[in-house]
Amino acid sequence: MFRLRLKFLLCFWQMLLISLLVNSLTAQDLTLRVGQESHRIEGAMRDGQSYLRLRDLAAVLELSTNETSNQIEVFGARGRLSLFDGRPLVHLGDQYILLTAPAWRQGQGNWYVPLDFLEKVLPGILNSRLTKEGDGIYRVEGIGRNRVRVE
């Protein structure tokens, strides 16, 4: 009886450990909530880092892009930024922003950015506010304008 319980506990701990390892090696997906709609963006893994496909982000956030050989420019309502293949630096206006991992591309038009791109870089070109609601969930809200009424 004792051996049966011991085997069960060992098997349970092994399954738990395997589950934790698999979850740590899988990419983190992202959910963007815009109004009443939710958009799921699949994550990708590279060198132990989670990435998001820039094309998917651009489609949801209504951004446009212009790609050259090793660089892509992303245009938003408040400006533009430049990403370079294999480099963690993003050129935004007159400043450079360091990401935790480099942006990279896989073929024509298929660029990937690390998760911190959302909070460090995107607010600089969006005319919206990104609010984190949970793990991998962000709400996109229009920035309210102060209205002045003159009589």
Side-chain angles (χ1 to χ4, degrees):
M1 186 72 154
F2 177 72
R3 287 185 179 182
L4 185 61
R5 286 184 185 172
L6 183 61
K7 283 184 179 181
F8 175 75
L9 283 175
L10 285 174
C11 205
F12 172 76
W13 286 110
Q14 287 174 342
M15 293 302 292
L16 182 62
L17 181 62
I18 290 170
S19 168
L20 290 173
L21 286 173
V22 167
N23 285 337
S24 69
L25 295 176
T26 58
Q28 181 179 353
D29 291 345
L30 177 75
T31 301
L32 289 176
R33 293 184 177 160
V34 181
Q36 299 299 321
E37 296 181 18
S38 289
H39 303 272
R40 184 172 168 264
I41 297 175
E42 285 189 42
M45 287 295 291
R46 184 175 191 199
D47 298 330
Q49 283 279 4
S50 282
Y51 284 86
L52 300 169
R53 189 185 331 217
L54 183 60
R55 179 180 6 176
D56 298 340
L57 283 173
V60 172
L61 298 173
E62 298 176 352
L63 304 172
S64 59
T65 60
N66 182 26
E67 183 178 8
T68 60
S69 61
N70 67 343
Q71 173 184 343
I72 188 166
E73 291 181 321
V74 181
F75 300 91
R78 291 182 35 205
R80 72 176 172 91
L81 61 90
S82 299
L83 293 165
F84 305 93
D85 187 19
R87 294 187 186 163
L89 287 175
V90 177
H91 186 234
L92 176 63
D94 60 349
Q95 63 181 339
Y96 284 91
I97 300 171
L98 181 64
L99 299 174
T100 56
W104 58 280
R105 76 175 184 162
Q106 183 180 28
Q108 185 72 20
N110 208 12
W111 286 76
Y112 291 87
V113 291
L115 292 176
D116 63 337
F117 179 82
L118 286 173
E119 293 181 5
K120 286 184 173 181
V121 179
L122 277 183
I125 65 167
L126 288 179
N127 203 18
S128 306
R129 180 182 17 232
L130 287 172
T131 306
K132 188 171 185 171
E133 291 188 333
D135 192 32
I137 301 172
Y138 286 83
R139 171 149 317 269
V140 180
E141 301 172 309
I143 297 175
R145 292 200 167 96
N146 293 332
R147 296 180 186 218
V148 177
R149 185 175 174 180
V150 179
E151 293 183 23

